[in-house]
């Protein structure tokens, strides 16, 4: 496989699907920038832990990997364990992240 | 490798439906789209304290929808797999996560965020690795190969980097002296990065070797350690924000590997968030990101020594003396800093504020953007102590008003109130915006000694005519002060 | 229909490359992605006057890239087609567009936007129609069919609606009395909409009949007319913003038809823009969108009559008398309104402001969000006259300061300075936020008569003790005033 | 073709591609909302005419339609004319829109 000009080659391999994914990536980055510049400093710590929890979305990938648990191939055993640990780590991140953010945010309140 | 070619994973993305799944592949994709909307609304909610709790809930709902779509979707059904293992994985993760989240002290937030960051990163790398293993022997796409290499590199680096950051934050003082850059540090890091990239190229050229992926991850893991170790413990928050961004990018890269929009959308949101927080912190410290990561910020030899600055000019004050300063005061501004977090004095501060308010004194809190060790650190601690967020004033808002402040009560803050930043262009914190506490009529500083803050430089504020030092642990000193005030 | 199945169009989206094209399909798609980024950066530029010119240029560059990608991409190459026709189309369009854009008076902007809107809408509908025609005889997808029907409906409605709006704006006064809702108007509109939707369903069920698409467009075109005709001429700006949004939606729908991301992205941006502007205008007029579209806002019979309000209480003032009011004045606020636009008095206003400033009087401009006939209308006119935008103050900023204003000079504004909005809950403009001109020390109103503004109600401001009416055409009256001031 | 539950059917027909398009649509709407709420009132008229010009993006579709000019099918003649008029209208919109917006914006300047 040629590596030079790899971006274009990549585009040629993946077809429009890759461009669609890149478009989604680009738009999501814009949405993220616009929204996050509006978060007030007061909420920066919760933002950090909350966005952290969102990055635990890898849990979806971890779940998809577990189908390997029934797989047969040479590497299925290893893939199974990778999937399992991914699941554990991602779940900690998700459950812990949203909970601790909630705990923090519940403390913020205006007494007005 | 291209996950589209692995049968089971592929079904989530292609048009086929496996009989027996609750949802068609398209149904699952639609749910992923809805989950993405929830994530966006979640971040949008965080733009205001009033909507923040709901925003976080939206994020959690989005995650639930995404998990449900995966479980009910076609990918998981119709295949024989060990369901116990999934259940066990989720149960272990949920219990560990919930326990940590419920037990952690608010002062421990930086460490918690660091370690969770690392877990997010490693999960992404593991998922990409699993998909890679399964695809061995099939034909793979360049897109997938590049994304896999990126996911492994970023994910592993994020993991070890975060773990180092975690330990550095756990005990700042003791670790602070240890590391320092070893000679040739930058060359080593450069070589490691080149090595990881070289294996990345190998993976793209021949995606049939498991070892290539392991090599990328291993080198990236070492790089994560060598990159973060020399960085000063107190610079860790910047590093954490950066790693936060990386964990998002790793998730997005994994999205490209398994062709899943929701990973791409949420990964990009997190990536953007981390980048912006990093930029905000660097700006508030008046340093560039390169300076944080590669520069060393030690006590500068050529600056004035502590003796020059303090010699004979520092006035201590007992709680009784300080209590008298509040007689007749109309406006008091409390400036909390990292020391308040260390002393866990936030509740005591709240009690003091209530006491002063009961005497008709106007009490406000001046929050510097990098006070403490995390952006917004002080806000969280004061909110924990139930202090109304309307009383927390940002630097730009309160700075012009310090001339009308009767008593500025500095609790465990040091660098963020150091006037040298304004006056001495040679100082390591020159140009960093600071709270103009020195303009208040009187200043009371609560700290344990004259030892410096994070930047390691003396603070002429402590030697000013109208400054009184109340030496002692933040919490204990304030409790004594409250005692005196109550007796009056 | 599914454009993917039409050979030539399909090549833009699928993986095939036609030998002879400069760009592969993927190269073209990548350029479309870059064009989308330019469009976003373009809109981002418009968030600040300093970056706005660059933002607009970014938008134009994005368009150029998109066109270049299409021309150099595989879809157009390798097919025999009449190149002259393309060249002719572009040439005609470019000349007409450029001439219109360069000739139009700034006061004519609402009309121009209206008519361009319509062109955008019809272009989308025509493209969808062309794709539909070409796909006849092939198998089509539900997605494409729905998008085609939507594009035809929205596009045609936008076209005729915009044309009606254009004519209404051309000569507001004469057309204003004519239409009025015909009896059963709402029923008719409802039937038309149902009819268009019914044909839409037909199209989805059987996409082989050309006539179905024509029927949708024809009905939608009639609906565009019947919907907009009864709406008061002065409500047209709201209608235009809404149609702006529709033209974006039509483009996005066409994007779904021909499977093109750049159409979807830019269409959505425009759609969002129109919706937000509509909401802002409705809010500033304190009316709901339904009320604008279906309600009628005529002179309310039960309100106080003009005689009640004005009878014997209105004081005229000559330019000489008004000139004297400026003696000793320190702060003058100019309130421009629709009448200034009609009189094209913006340059004269600028001359007057310069004259006053030469006398050390502080001159500011109070801009109401719906002064004139377009959001931001006054800003554009004053900018045309070279007035610094720092002097233009928004309503919320200037309202609390009217008590310190020596002379408030109202030029052709009426409804936006009507205190009835604050005081009389029965009035048709009750609750609409207005400029509190009546709180100024003296008020001078320049208009031709006592006739009402858009809302058709009398204005007690004109009868106040400290108000002086300087009757006459806005421009002429100001020229006289300037003459007197210069003589002094 | 069944119409009830048409949204799901639509999804089933178009495959993931439709969902990707919808995701792009959704994200672009968010970007639009976030950006446009930041546009100051001063710039609302240029925003209207500028966004108007952007909606002339249908010009791309019009260009793609002209391939019909060489087409043979029963309806090619009609499609050709539709494409031609689409091209004219879209070009007017694009050229005129960007130009007039530029004219307006060039007038805005701070003398500071
Ligand atoms: N917030 C962020 O995001 C962030 C990120 C990166 C870096 N930083 C850096 O961290 C620093 C933050 O400034 P800061 O003013 O908040 O803190 P600081 O400059 O680090 O000073 C903290 C002070 O608290 C005192 N202290 C420690 N433990 C105490 C206790 N138990 N009771 C009372 N006092 C105690 C220490 O003095 P004693 O030892 O004498 O008591 C020390 O001087 C800045 O230099 C900033 O650049 C912040
Ligand atoms: N800006 C928007 O986006 C928008 C959108 C929709 C609706 N509107 C509506 O438009 C109205 C705008 O308020 P407005 O105060 O600007 O205008 P207005 O209430 O419509 O009043 C305009 C006044 O200008 C006077 N005038 C007309 N030609 C003149 C000339 N040649 N010289 C001097 N005076 C002249 C008229 O009185 P004479 O005939 O006596 O001269 C009239 O009373 C509001 O009711 C608003 O709701 C605005």
């Amino acid at each position: 496989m040629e590596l030079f000009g790899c971006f274009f080659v990549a585009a040629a391999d993946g077809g429009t699907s890759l461009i669609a994914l890149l478009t989604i990536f680009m738009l999501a980055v814009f949405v993220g920038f616009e929204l996050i510049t509006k978060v007030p400093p007061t909420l920066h710590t919760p933002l950090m832990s909350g966005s952290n929890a969102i990055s635990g979305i890898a849990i979806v990938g971890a779940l998809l990997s577990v189908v390997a648990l029934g797989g047969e191939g040479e590497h299925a055993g290893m893939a199974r364990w990778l999937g399992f640990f991914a699941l554990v780590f991602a779940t900690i991140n998700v459950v812990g992240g949203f909970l601790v953010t909630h705990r923090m945010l519940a403390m913020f309140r205006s007494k007005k | 490798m291209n996950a589209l070619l692995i049968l089971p994973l592929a079904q989530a993305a292609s048009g086929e439906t496996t009989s027996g799944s609750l949802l068609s592949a398209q149904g699952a994709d639609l749910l992923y789209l809805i989950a993405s909307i929830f994530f966006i609304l979640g971040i949008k909610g965080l733009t205001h304290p009033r909507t923040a709790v709901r925003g976080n809930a939206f994020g959690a709902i989005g995650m639930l929808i995404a998990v449900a779509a995966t479980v009910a979707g076609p990918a998981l059904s119709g295949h024989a797999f060990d369901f116990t293992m999934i259940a066990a994985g989720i149960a272990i993760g949920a219990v560990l996560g919930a326990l940590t989240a419920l037990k952690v002290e608010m002062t421990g937030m930086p460490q918690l965020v660091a370690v969770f960051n690392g877990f997010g990163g490693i999960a992404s790398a593991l998922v990409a690795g699993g998909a890679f293993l399964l695809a061995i022997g099939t034909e793979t796409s360049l897109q997938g190969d590049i994304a896999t290499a990126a996911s492994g590199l970023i994910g592993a680096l994020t993991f070890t980097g975060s773990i180092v950051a975690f330990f550095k934050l756990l005990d700042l003082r003791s670790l602070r002296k240890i590391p320092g850059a070893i000679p040739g540090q930058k060359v080593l890091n450069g070589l490691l990065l080149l090595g990881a990239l070289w294996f990345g190229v190998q993976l793209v050229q021949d995606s049939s070797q498991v070892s290539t992926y392991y090599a990328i991850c291993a080198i990236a893991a070492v790089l994560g350690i060598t990159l973060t170790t020399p960085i000063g413990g107190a610079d860790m928050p910047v590093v954490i924000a950066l790693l936060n961004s990386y964990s998002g990018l790793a998730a997005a890269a994994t999205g490209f590997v398994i062709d899943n929009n929701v990973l791409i959308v949420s990964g990009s949101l997190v990536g953007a968030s981390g980048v912006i927080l990093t930029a905000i912190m660097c700006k508030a410290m008046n340093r560039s990101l390169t300076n944080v990561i590669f520069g060393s910020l030690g006590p500068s030899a050529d600056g004035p020594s502590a003796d020059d600055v303090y010699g004979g000019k520092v006035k201590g004050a007992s709680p009784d003396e300080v209590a008298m300063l509040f007689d007749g005061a109309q406006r008091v501004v409390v400036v909390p800093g990292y020391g308040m977090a260390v002393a866990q004095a936030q509740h005591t501060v709240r009690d003091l504020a209530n006491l002063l308010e009961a005497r008709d004194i106007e009490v406000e809190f001046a929050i510097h953007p990098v006070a403490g060790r995390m952006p917004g650190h002080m806000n969280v601690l004061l909110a924990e102590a139930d202090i109304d967020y309307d009383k927390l004033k940002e630097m730009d808002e309160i700075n012009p008003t310090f001339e009308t402040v009767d008593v500025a009560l500095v609790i465990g803050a040091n660098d963020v109130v150091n006037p040298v930043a304004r006056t001495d262009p040679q100082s390591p914190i020159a140009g960093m915006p600071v709270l103009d506490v020195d303009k208040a009529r009187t200043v009371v500083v609560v700290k344990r000694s004259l030892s410096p803050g994070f930047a390691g430089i003396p603070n002429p504020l402590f030697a000013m005519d109208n400054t009184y030092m109340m030496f002692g642990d933040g919490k204990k000193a304030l409790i004594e002060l409250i005692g005196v005030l109550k007796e009056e």
Side-chain angles (χ1 to χ4, degrees), chain B residues 359-399:
Chain B
R359 295 184 168 202
D360 276 337
I361 299 176
E362 184 191 348
V363 181
E364 285 166 333
F365 295 81
I367 311 292
H368 190 279
V370 293
R373 288 294 179 267
M374 268 191 114
H377 199 180
M378 294 298 122
N379 297 284
V380 172
L381 294 178
L382 296 177
E384 186 195 8
D386 228 14
I387 289 168
D388 191 340
Y389 64 72
D390 291 330
K391 287 192 199 143
L392 313 185
K393 303 295 173 195
E394 285 175 33
M395 179 166 61
D396 294 337
E397 193 184 342
I398 205 154
N399 254 355

Side-chain angles (χ1 to χ4, degrees), chain B residues 234 338 370-375 412 414-415 447-449 451 454 473-474:
Chain B
Y338 177 62
V370 293
R373 288 294 179 267
M374 268 191 114
N414 190 339
D415 298 340
K447 66 197 293 278
R448 295 168 307 183
S449 65
S451 62
F454 151 61
D473 170 77

Side-chain angles (χ1 to χ4, degrees), chain B residues 346-367:
Chain B
Q346 60 270 30
H347 295 95
T348 321
V349 170
R350 188 248 348 257
D351 293 341
L352 178 63
N354 287 346
L355 207 60
L356 294 178
E357 281 181 340
R359 295 184 168 202
D360 276 337
I361 299 176
E362 184 191 348
V363 181
E364 285 166 333
F365 295 81
I367 311 292

Side-chain angles (χ1 to χ4, degrees), chain A residues 45 70 75 93 103-104 109-111, chain B residues 80 101-102 104 109 120 375 386:
Chain A
T45 296
H75 300 289
N93 193 347
R103 252 187 80 196
M104 256 189 277
R109 64 188 141 228
S110 167
K111 273 167 225 135
Chain B
L102 295 176
V104 68
M109 280 311 300
D386 228 14

Side-chain angles (χ1 to χ4, degrees), chain B residues 172-173 176 233-238 281 284-285 287 297 336-345 368-378 410-417 429 432 446-456 462 471-475:
Chain B
L172 186 69
R173 304 250 139 208
R176 193 153 161 202
D235 268 342
M236 278 306 128
V238 185
M281 274 190 276
M285 297 164 68
R287 294 170 65 196
L297 186 67
Y338 177 62
M340 184 190 82
V342 175
Q344 303 232 30
H368 190 279
V370 293
R373 288 294 179 267
M374 268 191 114
H377 199 180
M378 294 298 122
V410 177
I411 303 173
N414 190 339
D415 298 340
V416 299
V417 293
I429 62 167
M432 162 170 155
V446 183
K447 66 197 293 278
R448 295 168 307 183
S449 65
L450 282 176
S451 62
F454 151 61
F462 303 159
F471 290 113
D473 170 77
K475 192 167 179 177

